[in-house]
Amino acid sequence: MTTYSAKVETHDVKERALVIILLGAPGSGKGTQSVEISHSFNLPHISTGDLFRENIKNQTEIGQKVKSYLDKGALVPDELVFDILFARISKADCSKGYILDGFPRTTLQAHKLEDLLSSSVHFAIFNLVVDDSAVIKRLSGRLVCKKCSRVFHKDSTPPKIEGVCDVCGEELYQRSDDNPEVIKERLRVYYEQTKPLEEYYKNKGQLTPINASGSPAEVLKTLKAKIQEMYPIL
Ligand code: ADP
Ligand code: ZN
């Protein structure tokens, strides 16, 4: 596997924002790890899925437009994805960098991101690698915090108090697309549309694979060490 782990010159990172991209199947741990590294490195966590769910909950115009896609497990049309993403990354808190979780999801989205940003940012791109069987198990028992997006699992990482987030005390919920039928479709869409991205970034020498089959804490340790190795000033 081609891996990219060259250290980046310190002055470069200071001048440019750092955009950490987490790739991986649904259930590979992108959300779980993003929340943690967001706190560790003090960079905002931007999940296109969370942004869509927030808009659905608040019944915004964009929320009404994207709901049927999320319910089916299909990808949201690019135009809506870009609108919501670019509005978010142009906010002041993103000036030093941010973590992208769930974007890009197609090669076209990756191109668009590069066209827009590549001269002003550094990309650090990680691929969370895990078996399909683990993915299905993880997704079907997943519980997510309404407030801080932390992820728990009914069996493997249950919250201390049932239905309550250990960290912020808010209510946990099960995502409506975490049911067997929609999970199957999300995996199908992943293989068809998102998996080719691995090859794309690999060919550019930009992809760092991370073994994501261990516990959340183990994966976090590996990921943090890689980020620190590549960006020692963070
Ligand atoms: P997952 O656990 O499947 O990675 P996410 O929370 O990232 O879930 O995304 C949930 C849904 O939001 C996707 O199934 C899709 O409908 C939509 N979505 C999220 N990001 C994108 C994107 N970059 N392009 C198109 N659709 C997206
Ligand atoms: Zn919480």
Side-chain angles (χ1 to χ4, degrees):
M1 247 189 257
T2 321
T3 63
Y4 172 82
S5 58
K7 273 189 195 170
V8 173
E9 292 298 325
T10 307
H11 63 270
D12 256 18
V13 178
K14 274 192 185 146
E15 279 161 20
R16 296 181 179 207
L18 174 64
V19 177
I20 297 178
I21 296 180
L22 295 186
L23 299 180
S28 58
K30 300 185 298 287
T32 306
Q33 298 302 329
S34 296
V35 173
E36 297 303 329
I37 56 175
S38 160
H39 285 274
S40 304
F41 296 109
N42 200 21
L43 294 170
H45 165 210
I46 301 175
S47 152
T48 38
D50 283 353
L51 291 171
F52 291 138
R53 282 184 286 276
E54 215 175 281
N55 275 271
I56 293 172
K57 195 176 100 194
N58 297 332
Q59 300 182 334
T60 66
E61 207 182 315
I62 209 164
Q64 280 161 8
K65 286 186 188 158
V66 301
K67 186 175 184 311
S68 63
Y69 298 98
L70 272 85
D71 286 346
K72 284 190 294 232
L75 292 188
V76 168
D78 277 350
E79 213 185 290
L80 298 170
V81 182
F82 295 138
D83 276 358
I84 212 163
L85 179 79
F86 294 152
R88 178 66 189 87
I89 62 180
S90 43
K91 291 197 173 156
D93 65 334
C94 291
S95 62
K96 290 207 171 88
Y98 42 90
I99 300 154
L100 288 181
D101 159 12
F103 187 95
R105 245 180 164 92
T106 64
T107 318
L108 201 94
Q109 290 183 358
H111 282 298
K112 187 101 179 188
L113 188 69
E114 271 162 37
D115 288 348
L116 189 84
L117 299 177
S118 63
S119 57
S120 57
V121 307
H122 273 298
F123 288 112
I125 307 168
F126 299 96
N127 190 27
L128 302 184
V129 184
V130 70
D131 285 355
D132 271 8
S133 56
V135 157
I136 295 168
K137 236 184 261 164
R138 286 181 185 183
L139 290 176
S140 39
R142 171 159 80 173
L143 299 165
V144 189
C145 174
K146 281 189 171 157
K147 189 170 171 208
C148 75
S149 300
R150 278 199 170 72
V151 180
F152 298 83
H153 189 280
K154 280 178 186 160
D155 308 315
S156 60
T157 47
K160 291 192 186 95
I161 303 167
E162 201 183 313
V164 179
C165 175
D166 287 357
V167 182
C168 76
E170 271 299 323
E171 206 184 320
L172 302 178
Y173 75 104
Q174 179 150 33
R175 271 172 48 175
S176 59
D177 60 349
D178 280 348
N179 70 67
E181 242 166 74
V182 184
I183 291 173
K184 226 169 108 193
E185 178 60 10
R186 282 159 59 205
L187 279 171
R188 195 191 65 73
V189 170
Y190 167 75
Y191 279 109
E192 187 185 278
Q193 312 211 42
T194 309
K195 184 106 175 146
L197 263 183
E198 279 177 26
E199 236 14 72
Y200 172 75
Y201 285 127
K202 229 190 255 175
N203 291 337
K204 288 169 53 120
Q206 284 185 311
L207 193 67
T208 302
I210 300 285
N211 174 359
S213 54
S215 69
E218 282 163 353
V219 180
L220 179 63
K221 205 170 146 203
T222 315
L223 188 58
K224 270 173 79 171
K226 265 284 175 229
I227 296 173
Q228 269 152 354
E229 183 190 316
M230 290 163 74
Y231 300 95
I233 62 150
L234 274 179

